[in-house]
Coordinates of all heavy atoms in Angstrom, one line a residue:
L405 N -74.2 9.7 27.0 CA -74.7 9.3 28.3 C -76.0 10.2 28.5 O -76.8 9.9 29.3 CB -73.7 9.5 29.4 CG -72.5 8.6 29.3 CD1 -71.4 8.9 30.3 CD2 -72.9 7.1 29.4
S406 N -76.0 11.4 27.8 CA -77.2 12.2 27.8 C -77.3 12.9 26.5 O -76.2 13.1 25.8 CB -77.2 13.2 28.9 OG -76.3 14.3 28.6
P553 N -66.1 8.8 33.6 CA -67.2 8.0 34.3 C -66.6 6.9 35.1 O -65.4 6.5 34.8 CB -68.0 7.5 33.1 CG -67.5 8.1 31.9 CD -66.1 8.6 32.1
P554 N -67.3 6.3 36.0 CA -66.8 5.2 36.8 C -66.6 4.0 35.8 O -67.3 3.9 34.8 CB -67.9 4.9 37.8 CG -69.1 5.7 37.4 CD -68.7 6.8 36.5
F555 N -65.8 3.1 36.2 CA -65.5 1.9 35.3 C -66.8 1.1 35.1 O -67.5 0.9 36.0 CB -64.5 1.0 36.0 CG -64.1 -0.2 35.2 CD1 -63.1 -0.2 34.3 CD2 -64.9 -1.4 35.3 CE1 -62.8 -1.3 33.5 CE2 -64.6 -2.5 34.5 CZ -63.6 -2.4 33.6
C556 N -67.0 0.7 33.9 CA -68.1 -0.2 33.6 C -68.0 -0.8 32.2 O -67.1 -0.3 31.4 CB -69.5 0.5 33.7 SG -69.7 1.8 32.5
Y557 N -68.8 -1.8 31.9 CA -68.8 -2.3 30.6 C -70.0 -1.7 29.9 O -71.0 -1.3 30.5 CB -69.0 -3.9 30.6 CG -67.7 -4.5 31.2 CD1 -67.6 -4.8 32.5 CD2 -66.6 -4.8 30.3 CE1 -66.4 -5.3 33.0 CE2 -65.5 -5.3 30.8 CZ -65.4 -5.6 32.2 OH -64.2 -6.1 32.7
V558 N -69.9 -1.7 28.5 CA -71.0 -1.1 27.7 C -71.4 -2.2 26.7 O -70.6 -2.7 26.0 CB -70.5 0.1 27.0 CG1 -71.6 0.7 26.1 CG2 -69.9 1.2 27.9
P584 N -83.4 14.8 30.1 CA -82.6 14.2 31.1 C -82.0 15.2 32.1 O -81.9 16.4 31.7 CB -81.5 13.5 30.3 CG -81.4 14.3 29.0 CD -82.8 14.9 28.8
K588 N -77.3 16.1 37.2 CA -77.2 14.9 38.1 C -76.2 13.9 37.5 O -75.5 13.2 38.2 CB -78.6 14.2 38.2 CG -79.4 14.8 39.3 CD -80.5 13.8 39.7 CE -81.2 14.2 40.9 NZ -82.5 13.5 41.1
I589 N -76.2 13.8 36.2 CA -75.3 12.8 35.6 C -73.8 13.3 35.8 O -72.9 12.5 36.1 CB -75.6 12.7 34.0 CG1 -77.0 12.3 33.8 CG2 -74.6 11.8 33.4 CD1 -77.5 12.4 32.4
I590 N -73.6 14.6 35.7 CA -72.2 15.1 35.9 C -71.8 14.9 37.4 O -70.7 14.4 37.7 CB -72.1 16.6 35.5 CG1 -72.3 16.8 34.0 CG2 -70.8 17.2 36.0 CD1 -72.5 18.2 33.6
Q591 N -72.8 15.1 38.3 CA -72.5 14.9 39.7 C -72.2 13.4 40.0 O -71.2 13.1 40.7 CB -73.7 15.3 40.6 CG -73.7 16.8 40.8 CD -75.1 17.2 41.3 OE1 -75.9 16.4 41.8 NE2 -75.4 18.5 41.2
A592 N -72.9 12.5 39.4 CA -72.7 11.1 39.5 C -71.3 10.7 39.1 O -70.6 9.9 39.7 CB -73.8 10.3 38.8
M593 N -70.9 11.3 38.0 CA -69.5 11.0 37.4 C -68.5 11.5 38.4 O -67.4 10.9 38.6 CB -69.4 11.5 36.0 CG -70.3 10.8 35.0 SD -69.8 11.0 33.3 CE -69.8 12.7 33.1
G596 N -68.1 9.3 41.2 CA -67.8 7.9 40.8 C -69.0 7.0 41.2 O -68.8 5.8 41.5
D597 N -70.2 7.5 41.1 CA -71.4 6.8 41.6 C -72.1 6.1 40.4 O -72.9 6.7 39.7 CB -72.4 7.8 42.3 CG -73.6 7.2 42.9 OD1 -73.9 6.0 42.5 OD2 -74.2 7.8 43.8
F598 N -71.8 4.8 40.2 CA -72.3 4.1 39.0 C -73.8 4.0 39.1 O -74.4 4.1 38.0 CB -71.6 2.7 39.0 CG -72.1 1.9 37.9 CD1 -71.8 2.1 36.5 CD2 -73.0 0.8 38.1 CE1 -72.3 1.3 35.5 CE2 -73.5 0.0 37.1 CZ -73.2 0.3 35.8
A599 N -74.4 3.7 40.2 CA -75.8 3.5 40.3 C -76.5 4.8 40.0 O -77.5 4.8 39.2 CB -76.2 3.1 41.8
S600 N -76.1 5.9 40.5 CA -76.7 7.2 40.1 C -76.5 7.6 38.7 O -77.4 8.0 38.0 CB -76.2 8.3 41.0 OG -76.6 9.6 40.6
L601 N -75.3 7.3 38.1 CA -75.1 7.5 36.7 C -76.1 6.7 35.9 O -76.8 7.3 35.0 CB -73.7 7.1 36.3 CG -73.3 7.2 34.9 CD1 -73.3 8.6 34.3 CD2 -72.0 6.5 34.6
S602 N -76.2 5.4 36.2 CA -77.1 4.6 35.5 C -78.6 5.0 35.5 O -79.3 4.8 34.5 CB -77.0 3.1 36.0 OG -75.6 2.7 35.9
S603 N -79.0 5.5 36.7 CA -80.4 5.8 36.7 C -80.7 7.1 36.1 O -81.9 7.5 35.9 CB -80.9 5.7 38.2 OG -80.2 6.5 39.0
N604 N -79.7 7.9 35.9 CA -80.0 9.3 35.3 C -79.7 9.5 33.8 O -80.1 10.5 33.3 CB -79.3 10.3 36.1 CG -79.9 10.6 37.5 OD1 -81.0 11.1 37.5 ND2 -79.3 10.2 38.6
I605 N -79.0 8.5 33.2 CA -78.7 8.7 31.8 C -80.0 8.8 31.0 O -81.0 8.2 31.4 CB -77.8 7.6 31.2 CG1 -78.4 6.2 31.4 CG2 -76.4 7.7 31.8 CD1 -77.5 5.1 30.8
G606 N -80.0 9.6 29.9 CA -81.3 9.8 29.2 C -81.1 10.6 27.9 O -80.1 11.2 27.7
N607 N -82.0 10.5 27.0 CA -81.9 11.0 25.7 C -83.3 11.6 25.2 O -84.2 10.8 25.1 CB -81.4 9.9 24.7 CG -81.2 10.4 23.3 OD1 -81.8 11.4 22.9 ND2 -80.3 9.8 22.6
E610 N -85.2 10.0 22.1 CA -85.6 8.6 22.1 C -87.0 8.4 21.6 O -87.2 7.6 20.7 CB -85.5 8.0 23.5 CG -84.2 7.4 23.8 CD -84.1 6.7 25.2 OE1 -85.2 6.5 25.9 OE2 -83.0 6.3 25.6
K624 N -84.6 -1.5 23.5 CA -84.3 -0.9 24.8 C -85.0 -1.7 25.9 O -84.4 -2.0 26.9 CB -84.8 0.6 24.8 CG -84.6 1.2 26.1 CD -84.8 2.7 26.2 CE -84.6 3.1 27.6 NZ -84.8 4.6 27.9
V628 N -83.3 -3.5 29.2 CA -83.7 -3.3 30.6 C -84.1 -4.6 31.3 O -83.6 -4.9 32.3 CB -84.9 -2.3 30.6 CG1 -85.4 -2.2 32.0 CG2 -84.5 -0.9 30.1
G631 N -81.3 -6.8 32.4 CA -80.7 -6.4 33.7 C -79.6 -5.4 33.6 O -78.8 -5.2 34.5
A632 N -79.5 -4.7 32.4 CA -78.5 -3.6 32.4 C -78.9 -2.5 33.4 O -80.0 -2.2 33.6 CB -78.4 -3.0 31.0
A633 N -77.9 -1.9 34.1 CA -78.2 -1.0 35.1 C -78.7 0.3 34.6 O -79.6 0.9 35.2 CB -76.9 -0.7 35.9
G634 N -78.2 0.8 33.4 CA -78.7 2.0 32.8 C -78.8 1.7 31.3 O -77.9 1.1 30.7
V635 N -79.8 2.2 30.7 CA -80.0 2.0 29.3 C -80.5 3.2 28.6 O -81.4 3.9 29.1 CB -81.1 0.9 29.0 CG1 -81.2 0.6 27.5 CG2 -80.8 -0.4 29.8
V636 N -79.8 3.6 27.5 CA -80.1 4.8 26.8 C -79.8 4.7 25.3 O -78.9 3.8 24.9 CB -79.3 6.0 27.4 CG1 -77.8 5.9 27.1 CG2 -79.8 7.3 26.9
V645 N -77.6 1.6 24.2 CA -76.4 1.4 25.0 C -76.8 0.9 26.4 O -77.7 1.5 27.0 CB -75.7 2.8 25.2 CG1 -74.6 2.7 26.2 CG2 -75.2 3.3 23.9
G646 N -76.2 -0.1 26.9 CA -76.5 -0.6 28.3 C -75.2 -0.5 29.1 O -74.2 -1.0 28.7
L647 N -75.3 0.1 30.3 CA -74.2 0.2 31.2 C -74.3 -1.0 32.2 O -75.3 -1.2 32.8 CB -74.1 1.5 31.9 CG -74.1 2.8 31.1 CD1 -73.9 4.0 32.0 CD2 -73.0 2.8 30.1
V648 N -73.2 -1.7 32.4 CA -73.2 -2.9 33.3 C -71.9 -2.9 34.1 O -70.8 -2.6 33.5 CB -73.2 -4.1 32.4 CG1 -73.4 -5.4 33.2 CG2 -74.3 -4.1 31.3
E649 N -72.0 -3.2 35.3 CA -70.8 -3.1 36.2 C -69.8 -4.3 36.0 O -68.6 -4.1 36.1 CB -71.2 -3.0 37.7 CG -70.4 -2.0 38.4 CD -71.0 -1.7 39.8 OE1 -72.1 -2.2 40.1 OE2 -70.3 -0.9 40.5
H650 N -70.4 -5.5 35.8 CA -69.5 -6.7 35.8 C -69.6 -7.4 34.4 O -70.6 -7.5 33.8 CB -70.0 -7.7 36.8 CG -69.9 -7.0 38.2 ND1 -68.7 -6.7 38.8 CD2 -70.9 -6.6 39.0 CE1 -69.0 -6.1 40.0 NE2 -70.3 -6.1 40.2
L673 N -65.3 1.6 28.2 CA -65.1 3.0 28.0 C -63.6 3.3 27.8 O -62.7 2.6 28.4 CB -65.5 3.8 29.3 CG -66.9 3.6 29.7 CD1 -67.2 4.3 31.0 CD2 -67.9 4.1 28.6

Side-chain angles (χ1 to χ4, degrees):
L405 296 174
S406 76
F555 181 90
C556 63
Y557 293 92
V558 180
K588 271 197 170 169
I589 301 170
I590 294 173
Q591 281 164 16
M593 293 201 299
D597 185 341
F598 176 73
S600 171
L601 173 69
S602 299
S603 57
N604 283 296
I605 56 178
N607 184 334
E610 270 183 8
K624 178 172 179 182
V628 172
V635 183
V636 69
V645 171
L647 304 186
V648 188
E649 217 168 0
H650 301 292
L673 304 175

